[in-house]
């Protein structure tokens, strides 16, 4: 049985939508982009949607517009895809990592509150949270400016206590909702839980544009700034070769936007199919000793399944389970490698194993199983039977 790690769900209509754009010869900055932005903003309930060419570009623009610059501090999670911390480095800001809740894998709000308090105090209190090499360097630090929580694996972070911290210390919240389109926290949609939300549409996400991303916000001045920054720093009133500020080429193209529009039309169907696949997995795996199925927090009123991640607790380690699955033709991935232990981060900031124990334990034990809306119940059964045999639960 052939099983893919992930797979985009493309209909005939999706393919036709892209082809139709090619026939218009109108390939960038056109009507599809505008319409995709309006429809996605409306889907989340935000006033403004600004599309970009990736989730990473979106995060970068969110950081710039929030006024985060050289030496500034931003509290974020080390258990994520590397882009959620890299976006600070692009602006020479410093990500301050705070450990996760081991059940949901999302940033721990109580620790965020403590970190914000200590960082505002400065001095010795602040040093418990700062990266070792930053302390050593004695470089002048900027201000604590923002929180950047990530909705891990499609489950919103615990935003109410995070908002309290933000209000108390006058911080912006940038929500990395790249894995959580359509998810809900206490009935509120992912992407709308902070001051700005960022989505990504890479082919393994809930919906795809090939490459692409979108910022959603209610702040008009930010939306205008995103539009300028993604388009070489041109302001709305600038002529084509006038550039008001340093900008980038982060534009999405019309083919991608058309694909996004077409996918968005059936987003609820795509999410329902993914939820069905997750349910098939959970039903078969929840009674197996040696692994733990995903935990859905009481604050998550709707899960948007991005990946299906189990936590291996058996004697047989996660990496060995991966090897065994591979020998049976089943792909799987370690999810995530903690950001603070990425070579670039250990070198630049001096992090070590032991710095964020919950994140490291999750990083050692978590395993993403093959997952997409196209998976059949037979395929799920095949993966689960293999896992059962590998773990000796038969
Ligand atoms: C996918 C993802 C991104 C960014 O994705 P791109 O590949 O740049 O579109 C950012 N953060 C998280 C948590 C992600 O999963």
């Amino acid at each position: 049985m052939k099983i893919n790690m992930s797979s985009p769900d493309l209909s005939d209509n999706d393919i036709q939508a892209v082809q139709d754009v090619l026939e218009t010869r109108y390939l960038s900055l056109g009507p599809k982009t505008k319409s995709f932005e309006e429809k996605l903003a409306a889907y989340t309930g935000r006033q403004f949607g600004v599309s970009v060419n990736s989730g990473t570009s979106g995060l970068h623009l969110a950081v710039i517009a929030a006024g985060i610059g050289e030496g500034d501090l931003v509290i974020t999670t080390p258990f994520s895809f590397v882009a959620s911390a890299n976006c600070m480095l692009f602006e020479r800001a410093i990500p301050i990592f705070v450990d996760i809740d081991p059940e949901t894998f999302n940033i721990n709000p109580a620790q965020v509150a403590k970190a914000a308090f200590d960082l505002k105090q400065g001095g010795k209190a602040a040093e418990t949270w700062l990266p070792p090499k930053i302390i050593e360097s004695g470089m002048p630090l900027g201000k604590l400016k923002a929180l950047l929580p990530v909705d891990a694996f499609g489950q919103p972070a615990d935003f109410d206590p995070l908002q309290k911290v933000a209000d108390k210390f006058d911080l912006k919240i940038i929500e990395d909702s790249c894995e959580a389109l359509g998810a809900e926290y206490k009935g509120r949609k992912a992407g709308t839980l902070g001051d700005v939300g960022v989505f990504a549409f890479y082919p393994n996400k809930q919906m795809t544009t090939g490459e692409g991303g979108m910022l959603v916000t209610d702040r008009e001045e930010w939306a205008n700034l995103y539009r300028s920054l993604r388009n070489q720093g041109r302001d709305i009133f600038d002529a084509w070769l006038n550039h008001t500020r340093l900008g980038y080429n982060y534009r999405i193209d019309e083919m991608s936007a058309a694909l996004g529009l077409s996918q968005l039309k059936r987003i609820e169907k795509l999410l329902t199919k993914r939820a069905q696949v997750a349910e098939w997995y959970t039903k078969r795996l929840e009674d197996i000793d040696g692994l733990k199925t995903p935990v859905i927090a009481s604050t998550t009123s709707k899960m948007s399944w991005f990946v299906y991640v189990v936590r291996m607790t058996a004697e047989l380690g996660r990496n060995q389970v991966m090897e065994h699955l591979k020998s049976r033709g089943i792909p799987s991935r370690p999810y995530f490698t903690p950001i603070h232990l990425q070579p670039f981060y250990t070198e630049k900031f001096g992090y070590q194993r032991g710095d964020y124990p919950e994140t490291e334990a999750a990083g050692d034990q978590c395993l993403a199983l093959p997952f997409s809306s196209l998976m059949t119940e037979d395929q799920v059964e095949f993966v689960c039977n293999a896992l059962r045999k590998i773990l000796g639960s038969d």
Side-chain angles (χ1 to χ4, degrees):
M1 194 177 287
K2 169 97 183 101
I3 296 179
N4 296 324
M5 190 59 216
S6 71
S7 189
D9 188 328
L10 301 176
S11 68
D12 291 345
N13 284 342
D14 293 341
I15 293 164
Q16 190 60 49
V18 174
Q19 207 163 326
D20 289 349
V21 170
L22 290 169
E23 274 154 23
T24 68
R25 306 291 194 269
Y26 208 145
L27 307 189
S28 186
L29 290 170
K32 297 292 175 192
T33 299
K34 187 161 180 285
S35 175
F36 182 37
E37 292 176 343
E38 286 166 1
K39 293 273 162 41
L40 196 114
Y43 173 72
T44 60
R46 276 303 201 218
Q47 250 184 297
F48 305 101
V50 180
S51 59
V52 282
N53 59 2
S54 74
T56 305
S57 310
L59 287 167
H60 184 193
L61 300 190
V63 164
I64 297 175
I68 296 161
E70 182 155 7
D72 286 336
L73 311 177
V74 178
I75 295 176
T76 191
T77 170
F79 193 64
S80 176
F81 181 61
V82 71
S84 64
N86 282 351
C87 62
M88 266 80 91
L89 303 193
F90 299 158
E91 294 302 312
R92 300 176 181 276
I94 301 167
I96 301 293
F97 294 125
V98 163
D99 214 347
I100 54 167
D101 170 330
E103 294 292 313
T104 61
F105 307 123
N106 276 320
I107 198 165
N108 180 328
Q111 285 213 41
V112 170
K114 184 147 194 335
F117 182 84
D118 288 346
L119 289 164
K120 285 280 178 177
Q121 296 275 103
K124 281 282 161 219
E127 284 191 3
T128 56
W129 302 94
L130 290 170
K133 283 205 179 172
I134 296 295
I135 302 171
E136 250 169 60
S137 74
M139 70 177 267
L141 296 179
K143 287 207 316 210
L144 175 63
K145 289 270 178 77
L147 309 178
L148 196 153
V150 177
D151 302 327
F153 305 152
Q155 168 150 247
D158 192 2
F159 274 85
D160 280 351
L162 293 176
Q163 188 63 57
K164 278 207 188 110
V165 176
D167 291 343
K168 187 163 168 195
F169 297 104
D170 191 23
L171 309 173
K172 298 291 189 297
I173 299 186
I174 297 169
E175 180 185 3
D176 181 341
S177 43
C178 287
E179 302 189 351
L181 182 69
E184 289 177 18
Y185 172 82
K186 301 184 182 179
R188 288 141 59 199
K189 274 217 160 64
T192 71
L193 303 170
D195 296 284
V196 56
V198 182
F199 295 109
F201 309 119
Y202 187 73
N204 69 341
K205 309 278 176 178
Q206 289 87 332
M207 60 163 267
T208 187
T209 58
E211 297 286 358
M214 182 93 68
L215 298 120
V216 294
T217 185
D218 281 341
R219 293 172 173 254
E220 188 168 15
E221 75 284 7
W222 281 9
N224 289 337
L225 187 51
Y226 301 147
R227 291 205 164 92
S228 166
L229 291 167
R230 74 161 172 200
N231 191 22
Q232 308 282 15
R234 291 179 183 102
D235 252 327
I236 337 171
F237 47 78
D238 276 340
W240 188 248
L241 290 175
N242 276 359
H243 306 273
T244 297
R245 55 180 65 79
L246 174 66
Y248 305 86
N249 180 355
Y250 284 171
R251 298 184 301 260
I252 199 168
D253 61 66
E254 285 284 283
M255 290 77 79
S256 298
L259 179 54
L261 264 176
S262 184
Q263 292 250 297
L264 186 58
K265 274 190 200 142
R266 52 196 184 91
I267 185 67
E268 289 310 327
K269 248 194 211 144
L270 293 171
L271 294 180
T272 303
K273 280 163 86 182
R274 293 175 91 95
Q276 172 67 262
V277 175
E279 197 185 309
W280 289 333
Y281 265 124
T282 300
K283 199 173 75 190
R284 288 167 176 80
L285 295 177
E286 85 198 324
D287 62 338
I288 296 188
D289 285 337
L291 68 76
K292 198 170 160 201
T293 53
V295 175
I296 312 301
S298 60
T299 49
T300 302
S301 43
K302 185 175 176 191
M303 185 71 189
S304 169
W305 290 90
F306 166 53
V307 280
Y308 191 88
V309 173
V310 292
R311 185 166 185 152
M312 309 305 307
T313 53
E315 191 105 11
L316 188 65
R318 188 267 320 272
N319 292 350
Q320 280 143 296
V321 174
M322 267 178 71
E323 282 303 313
H324 283 290
L325 284 170
K326 195 173 160 202
S327 70
R328 291 163 187 263
I330 300 168
S332 62
R333 298 255 191 289
Y335 243 72
F336 294 103
T337 301
I339 297 176
H340 69 284
L341 297 181
Q342 298 285 356
F344 175 59
Y345 280 81
T346 57
E347 192 177 309
K348 187 176 170 65
F349 293 114
Y351 290 120
Q352 288 173 10
R353 216 166 226 286
D355 287 344
Y356 301 96
E358 297 293 0
T359 294
E360 290 160 21
D364 288 341
Q365 297 178 342
C366 285
L367 185 66
L369 300 175
F371 189 73
S372 78
S373 55
L374 299 178
M375 267 186 100
T376 64
E377 192 164 11
D378 284 347
Q379 288 177 316
V380 172
E381 175 92 11
F382 183 76
V383 175
C384 294
N385 284 343
L387 267 174
R388 198 177 280 275
K389 289 208 182 80
I390 293 163
L391 293 170
S393 264
D394 252 353

